[in-house]
Amino acid sequence: MDERTRADVERAEAAIVEHYPRLVRLTYLVLPPSMGRHRRVLTAHGLVQRALPRTRLRRPDGGLPAQRGPAPESGYDLVRQRALRLALAYEAQPGRVLPALPLVWGLRLFPRAGGADELALDQALSAVPAAVRAALGLGHLEGLDEDAARAVLARAGAEDPDAAQRAAAQLDRETEAGAAALLGSGEFDPCMVQTRPTDLLRRRQRVRAVAAVAAVLVIGAAVAAAWPGTADPSGRAGTAAQQALDPDRLLRTPNEQWADTSRVDFTAWPVRGRQAGDRKLLARALRVWAAPPPDTRITAAAGTSTRPPGHPPQLLYAGLIDNVMVVVLYDGERLVRYAEPEDATPTLHFARVDNADLTTGAALVIGRGNGWMRYLLAPWISEITTRDLLAPAAPPHGLHVAPDGVTDRIPIPPPAGAGCGRWPVAQLRPSTRIVAAAPDTAFLVADLDDLVPVHLTSGAPLSGGAPEGATGAPALRNWARTACSLGSLRGTGVRSVNTWEFARQQLPEDGGSAAWVCTRADTWRGPGSVTLRFLPPAARPADPGRTAGRAVNTAACSRFGPDVVGGIHWQAKSGKWYLLAAGSPEVGGLDATGGVRATADEGTLATPAEPAAPAEVVGRLRTGGSVRALHP
């Protein structure tokens, strides 16, 4: 029994009051994520409140004076040690009951959900022991050095503090977004919580008398047995909404249908995964989709509905991915990825995929982690390799694929603000059973934090379809200089991105040849955006050049509006400034007005101009129309 003098207890009580949020955050981090977020919040608060030691009985008058010893332990150190000891004990005894206080009826409490980085860190923390989580918290939340953290862990009862610190350091290195910043976010703050009601219907049902419910069931069964003809003559069991939640009604495509159909999209995907026959798992996934619990993490690409299923969806996958149970469903318009991690907090990810085809329906993201992801490949993909868009001359690397279509881990592009030293993409090759064997049948896809990767293409917009793939040497060189701009498209529901070199221009004063490139991003919901870039000669293959123009909700650089003009101020090696402009092939002349006046009877223009001189550039089309230059 840890009993202290009254002075010790008063110092401990003051420390709890003053540092309560800090103590609860640390305790919440150490508790097992498998408890679920609601129970973790209440337990963290309860353990910190129980960390107050008991008061030692007073010595009777006339006793010996107290012996001199070390300085008294600080109140904060004392309650932190006790709270850590209680939290570490929960992992060794998972059946321990919730502390009596605080007590919450009719509500569920959970911290504010973070982004993909916080979710990835939470999943990584669920896979390590409590002592490792404690070591990470002592270092980042408490600011202790290695020796001090090791001493705190030892006093709190950790079995091997050194091993815990080594594992925490390794986890910290693998967290690209930075564990310190993520642990300080709202995802790991049990004092800033959101509230939602518990299952209201279930709560109402529980207050009914058990005898009355049993009687109703017995009477109902008797009536059904006496009048069997009252069954639904159509043979339908319940409404369409009820049928949509029945795992036995899930649609399942035969394994080889993809090779014998003219519709090569997600409807042709067969069901895969070892848990495809787990009726309980499938039922949970459907129930969460139809009525998400309050603490469910829900992510939806821009323009994607999260409404419940209106009819039985198609099952694409059900299995265990990196210790997370995953179910993927398709309702003809959307993909829904249900994930059930060890902490029992479900996640739903929605993505719109209507009108998918051989390339945009070739893969989906089946799992994510710190700095990596995995694809589930379409059955018609015969080969997958990976390459770095910023290294166009480097050969692709082979990637292993499991028999169920799940790939090995693939590195993901760096997060925003972390630089752009690499940009991994996947190169897919379709089976010769549906596409003739040819070198140009391979295509590139890139992960932009959505459920479905983005198809990367290159070339002029075609009147009858999409541009070609981006695996040729010229296309890869252009993509090397524009790849880093893909980061701005993360999570926006982009279907495909095309880069088109619409003009070449010889620079003044023997400055070499520059390329004008239009990068167009098309979304699943329809609208597209474009970015014009001016790419002068560069010493590095991945030099990004300069942005010359932008536009949103535009048809520019598409088959519905292929004409485009760009302009920019450029400085020659002599120090002299010029206005440069260029148009797409159908632009037969250019006119500059405003602060700069010049004209050209061809698709490019170069004229001396001060860098601050405003200019409006208009292109004259060969068909007699005109097109204005896009502005940055």
Side-chain angles (χ1 to χ4, degrees):
M1 181 71 67
D2 185 6
E3 296 181 344
R4 302 279 173 150
T5 65
R6 183 173 183 83
D8 291 335
V9 175
E10 288 178 350
R11 284 194 295 268
E13 183 180 20
I16 290 178
V17 173
E18 181 179 359
H19 301 289
Y20 186 77
R22 180 175 162 188
L23 289 165
V24 175
R25 184 188 284 266
L26 178 63
T27 308
Y28 178 83
L29 174 65
V30 178
L31 286 171
S34 59
M35 297 174 65
R37 301 170 76 197
H38 172 74
R39 189 161 180 255
R40 272 175 83 191
V41 167
L42 294 182
T43 304
H45 284 271
L47 294 187
V48 171
Q49 293 173 21
R50 287 174 57 192
L52 187 67
R54 295 187 179 183
T55 306
R56 179 182 300 164
L57 295 176
R58 295 182 61 183
R59 175 175 48 85
D61 291 340
L64 294 174
Q67 300 296 314
R68 292 186 178 182
E73 187 176 19
S74 76
Y76 181 76
D77 290 342
L78 172 62
V79 294
R80 180 177 62 191
Q81 177 184 328
R82 286 176 56 85
L84 274 180
R85 183 183 295 275
L86 292 170
L88 289 170
Y90 258 78
E91 189 160 74
Q93 303 178 35
R96 297 185 68 163
V97 298
L98 191 72
L101 294 173
L103 190 62
V104 176
W105 288 97
L107 289 175
R108 290 186 63 83
L109 310 179
F110 52 94
R112 297 181 182 275
D117 292 333
E118 287 84 352
L119 176 58
L121 177 60
D122 194 39
Q123 293 175 347
L125 291 172
S126 67
V128 299
V132 177
R133 298 192 294 273
L136 200 66
L138 291 172
H140 289 312
L141 299 179
E142 296 294 288
L144 301 184
D145 58 26
E146 291 187 2
D147 292 337
R150 185 182 300 109
V152 172
L153 286 172
R155 291 196 301 269
E159 294 184 358
D160 192 344
D162 290 328
Q165 284 196 312
R166 289 193 298 269
Q170 177 65 26
L171 179 61
D172 197 11
R173 288 191 294 270
E174 294 175 354
T175 305
E176 292 195 3
L182 296 179
L183 290 177
S185 68
E187 173 84 11
F188 300 97
D189 186 357
C191 289
M192 296 291 291
V193 296
Q194 294 177 308
T195 61
R196 292 291 187 276
T198 56
D199 190 327
L200 299 178
L201 294 178
R202 183 179 301 173
R203 194 168 70 195
R204 180 180 295 175
Q205 291 169 356
R206 286 175 178 173
V207 302
R208 296 175 179 173
V210 175
V213 173
V216 170
L217 293 176
V218 171
I219 294 173
V223 171
W227 287 281
T230 59
D232 185 352
S234 65
R236 295 177 299 176
T239 65
Q242 291 172 334
Q243 293 179 26
L245 302 182
D246 184 354
D248 294 330
R249 292 179 176 269
L250 287 172
L251 305 180
R252 298 169 183 254
T253 300
N255 288 337
E256 295 299 314
Q257 181 168 313
W258 63 269
D260 297 304
T261 180
S262 60
R263 183 175 175 178
V264 184
D265 59 9
F266 289 106
T267 61
W269 280 42
V271 59
R272 286 170 288 179
R274 293 188 176 182
Q275 273 66 44
D278 187 339
R279 191 178 185 280
K280 292 183 178 179
L281 170 64
L282 300 178
R284 288 198 302 273
L286 290 168
R287 286 198 304 269
V288 172
W289 179 5
D295 58 349
T296 304
R297 296 187 181 95
I298 300 177
T299 302
T304 304
S305 169
T306 60
R307 68 179 183 275
H311 55 79
Q314 178 184 343
L315 176 63
L316 302 186
Y317 186 88
L320 189 65
I321 302 293
D322 297 295
N323 296 321
V324 177
M325 203 63 73
V326 175
V327 177
V328 181
L329 303 164
Y330 172 61
D331 70 351
E333 177 186 347
R334 299 166 296 166
L335 286 177
V336 182
R337 178 184 180 271
Y338 166 82
E340 190 177 85
E342 292 181 351
D343 67 356
T345 301
T347 65
L348 288 173
H349 197 157
F350 295 84
R352 182 173 173 177
V353 291
D354 47 327
N355 297 319
D357 54 25
L358 182 145
T359 55
T360 54
L364 60 85
V365 177
I366 196 69
R368 289 190 185 278
N370 287 321
W372 57 266
M373 46 77 65
R374 297 182 191 268
Y375 284 129
L376 175 65
L377 299 179
W380 57 81
I381 297 302
S382 61
E383 178 187 63
I384 178 173
T385 54
T386 61
R387 68 186 315 146
D388 184 358
L389 278 186
L390 302 186
H397 299 281
L399 189 69
H400 175 261
V401 181
D404 62 356
V406 177
T407 69
D408 279 355
R409 293 181 176 184
I410 302 174
I412 61 176
C420 188
R422 58 184 175 84
W423 202 276
V425 295
Q427 182 169 307
L428 309 180
R429 186 176 300 279
S431 169
T432 56
R433 296 175 64 181
I434 56 175
V435 175
D440 59 354
T441 56
F443 57 93
L444 298 182
V445 295
D447 172 41
L448 294 184
D449 291 352
D450 281 326
L451 189 54
V452 180
V454 174
H455 181 205
L456 302 183
T457 60
S458 179
L462 305 177
S463 59
E468 300 297 326
T471 57
L476 290 174
R477 286 194 294 269
N478 278 338
W479 266 116
R481 303 190 67 175
T482 57
C484 293
S485 64
L486 290 172
S488 63
L489 302 175
R490 282 188 170 101
T492 58
V494 173
R495 174 190 180 115
S496 62
V497 183
N498 181 60
T499 180
W500 172 35
E501 183 181 307
F502 65 87
R504 272 270 166 189
Q505 182 174 20
Q506 291 299 317
L507 300 177
E509 302 184 19
D510 295 326
S513 177
W516 291 83
V517 173
C518 180
T519 302
R520 178 178 177 85
D522 285 313
T523 62
W524 285 95
R525 61 190 184 278
S529 61
V530 299
T531 302
L532 299 189
R533 283 182 176 79
F534 172 72
L535 306 180
R540 297 181 299 109
D543 190 316
R546 292 173 56 193
T547 300
R550 299 179 187 274
V552 297
N553 298 328
T554 177
C557 301
S558 75
R559 61 192 179 103
F560 300 107
D563 303 316
V564 63
V565 170
I568 199 168
H569 286 84
W570 173 80
Q571 187 178 28
K573 292 182 179 179
S574 66
K576 187 176 181 179
W577 283 89
Y578 292 85
L579 172 67
L580 305 179
S584 52
E586 290 302 311
V587 175
L590 294 164
D591 298 309
T593 58
V596 180
R597 291 190 174 274
T599 186
D601 293 328
E602 57 183 358
T604 60
L605 179 147
T607 185
E610 292 300 321
E616 185 71 31
V617 179
V618 177
R620 288 177 269 117
L621 300 177
R622 304 181 192 278
T623 57
S626 64
V627 56
R628 291 185 176 274
L630 298 181
H631 294 283

